[in-house]
Amino acid sequence: MVAQAPGVFFREWLRRNPGERRDIGRAADLLAVLGLPAPDTPVLAVVGSKGKGTCAAYASATLAAAGARVVTVTSPGVRGPRDRVRLGGRAVGESDLARLAHKLDEAAGRLPPPRSGYLSPSGLFLAAGALYAREQGADLLVMEAGMGGRGDEVRLFDPAAVALTTVFGEHLGVLGDTVAQIAEEKAGAAGPGTRAFVHGPLEPGAEAAAHAALGARTGGRVLPERLEPGTAGVGDPVLPDGLGRPAAELGCASARRLLATLGREEPEPERLRRVLASVRLPGRLSHHVLARPADSAEAGAGPATAPCAGNSPGTRPASAGAVAAAAAAAAPTELVVDSAIERAGAAAALEHARRRWGGVDHVLVCLPDHKDVEGAVAALAGERVTAAALPDAHLSFSAALPADWGRVRAEEVTPQLLAGLGRRVLVLGTVYFTGRVLDAIGADTDSLFTA
């Protein structure tokens, strides 16, 4: 997916030295050259360990339902760089992204050469989104943080509102040595201009740490708001199933809090329900039908009728078993694709697929070592599983896996390979991997919702 992106977004990251980290100070200098952030375009920042993309999508849909012109920046993209920046839920065009990349390149050329640290891809996409919002006259910006909060470029935009999704032990030793320290770091996205801070249920230690960080960053001016499940004021038919639901509720609630702090009217209830019902999240328990590849059809399907000498017109009905076998061979492969990276997510996705199909033929999973590999293995016990490895040099795939699991390289995942796994295939793993799968099957990821 990196190879598809305009080079400017990934150039310094690809050239980074071992152990080198993003340079927030240099990113701030870049924004200054670009005349960003724009003071008349308030920002809703989405931070957390899981569910940020879902939260950002539902927040953006809620704001659009209220009549706002909304630019959304997500990290990473679904299928590639283009869908990391959206206006009204629709991904920017190739020419727009190329133009934004050129402006970033020109601005970066006016900075001193990097000495240590680099301009991160996620930070550069945030800058591109802010540029695009200014060009398009957007009213509001929804920005999903890359990994952290205080140490993420989203902080440089001094968000008017912050939504904190669930926090768990991913990136231990990078963002903090405990879940509480990670929550503290992520809550540090708040700043002097923050006027609302909404979060869902957190572990007690993590919640206390997040509240303390918010107090320090805002001088105690902003009180944290804890959203209880089911209290977002949005009905069941328009919210997603499973573990994505709390993130969707948080997105709706944080968007409404932003509107309130800005003195803007809430969306009309019927329009809100209509827009939220249109939200589609590829890679979050999304459903796809894969037509059988031609070579697979030729190899696997027999005729539904068999020759019979002496009978006109020369055929006789096949046996019931033969008809059933032919129908099964002709049936398309169905996929459920979910960006589950830990035990609870894998278990929830498996249960979702079982409810939909009654059973799962195969699970294709991609979990680098820093994800919850052990938990995912436990959740998938008893299933037929193939593990995929991404080619990215910064990822390791050395964790022990069950001996009966298949192995494949991510670049080998094609429609033919997926069809060969069975008729009901569950795809799990990192967003980068699920994006590869969605790209391979040509999934429509251009629009997240219809306002």
Side-chain angles (χ1 to χ4, degrees):
M1 297 179 69
V2 169
Q4 300 171 10
V8 62
F9 291 102
F10 297 91
R11 182 173 57 216
E12 292 193 13
W13 178 77
L14 288 170
R15 295 174 181 173
R16 73 195 186 285
N17 296 316
E20 196 172 17
R21 296 195 177 188
R22 65 183 67 193
D23 188 339
I24 297 295
R26 194 155 176 269
D29 293 340
L30 178 70
L31 292 180
V33 170
L34 294 166
L36 298 172
D40 55 348
T41 311
V43 171
L44 167 58
V46 181
V47 298
S49 299
K50 181 67 175 172
K52 297 193 298 293
T54 299
C55 181
Y58 277 87
S60 300
T62 301
L63 296 173
R69 224 170 134 72
V70 186
V71 165
T72 308
V73 188
T74 53
S75 178
V78 182
R79 285 182 57 180
R82 192 170 62 80
D83 55 36
R84 292 177 76 147
V85 179
R86 299 174 181 270
L87 173 63
R90 181 161 290 277
V92 298
E94 294 285 359
S95 60
D96 287 328
L97 187 62
R99 186 186 69 258
L100 295 169
H102 179 68
K103 290 185 176 182
L104 292 176
D105 198 25
E106 285 188 328
R110 296 167 60 184
L111 301 178
R115 289 178 293 180
S116 64
Y118 56 88
L119 293 174
S120 75
S122 60
L124 289 168
F125 276 106
L126 291 178
L131 278 176
Y132 193 61
R134 187 168 65 191
E135 287 181 1
Q136 300 297 318
D139 304 308
L140 301 169
L141 263 165
V142 176
M143 291 183 157
E144 178 186 347
M147 185 170 67
R150 184 174 58 246
D152 191 274
E153 292 86 354
V154 75
R155 169 177 66 81
L156 301 176
F157 290 87
D158 193 14
V162 176
L164 173 62
T165 67
T166 184
V167 178
F168 55 82
E170 188 182 18
H171 302 304
L172 282 171
V174 178
L175 298 180
D177 294 328
T178 65
V179 172
Q181 289 178 359
I182 292 174
E184 177 186 5
E185 205 283 335
K186 291 181 181 292
T194 300
R195 300 164 68 180
F197 185 97
V198 188
H199 66 84
L202 299 170
E203 296 177 8
E207 182 170 307
H211 290 186
L214 173 66
R217 294 284 296 164
T218 64
R221 198 175 31 80
V222 178
L223 296 178
E225 302 171 46
R226 187 179 196 267
L227 179 69
E228 298 295 338
T231 61
V234 181
D236 286 348
V238 296
L239 292 179
D241 188 20
L243 298 181
R245 187 184 184 90
E249 290 183 329
L250 180 63
C252 297
S254 59
R256 293 165 91 167
R257 282 294 293 121
L258 176 61
L259 292 170
T261 63
L262 299 175
R264 298 184 62 132
E265 291 187 5
E266 285 210 0
E268 189 273 327
E270 275 308 307
R271 185 182 185 194
L272 176 63
R273 290 178 65 82
R274 176 176 59 79
V275 175
L276 293 182
S278 75
V279 174
R280 296 294 179 267
L281 297 173
R284 275 85 173 180
L285 290 180
S286 57
H287 299 226
H288 309 271
V289 176
L290 177 66
R292 286 174 65 249
D295 58 346
S296 184
E298 293 167 3
T305 59
C308 180
N311 285 338
S312 179
T315 61
R316 61 172 170 80
S319 68
V323 171
T333 290
E334 294 185 52
L335 308 176
V336 168
V337 182
D338 191 54
S339 303
I341 55 173
E342 33 74 48
R343 180 172 186 158
L350 186 59
E351 177 59 25
H352 174 89
R354 285 170 174 164
R355 287 201 310 271
R356 180 176 178 85
W357 295 324
V360 174
D361 294 330
H362 211 102
V363 181
L364 179 64
V365 62
C366 177
L367 290 172
D369 290 348
H370 68 283
K371 304 299 184 183
D372 183 17
V373 179
E374 183 179 354
V377 169
L380 299 176
E383 298 293 329
R384 296 179 63 193
V385 182
T386 294
L390 288 162
D392 307 68
H394 67 291
L395 297 177
S396 176
F397 292 86
S398 62
L401 298 175
D404 60 346
W405 280 23
R407 305 289 192 278
V408 69
R409 297 193 306 273
E411 55 268 39
E412 296 174 326
V413 176
T414 62
Q416 288 81 2
L417 182 143
L418 291 166
L421 296 179
R423 291 176 49 217
R424 303 166 301 179
V425 180
L426 175 62
V427 179
L428 304 175
T430 67
V431 174
Y432 285 109
F433 176 68
T434 57
R436 275 179 173 267
V437 173
L438 294 171
D439 197 39
I441 66 175
D444 181 7
T445 60
D446 264 9
S447 182
L448 288 182
F449 57 85
T450 303

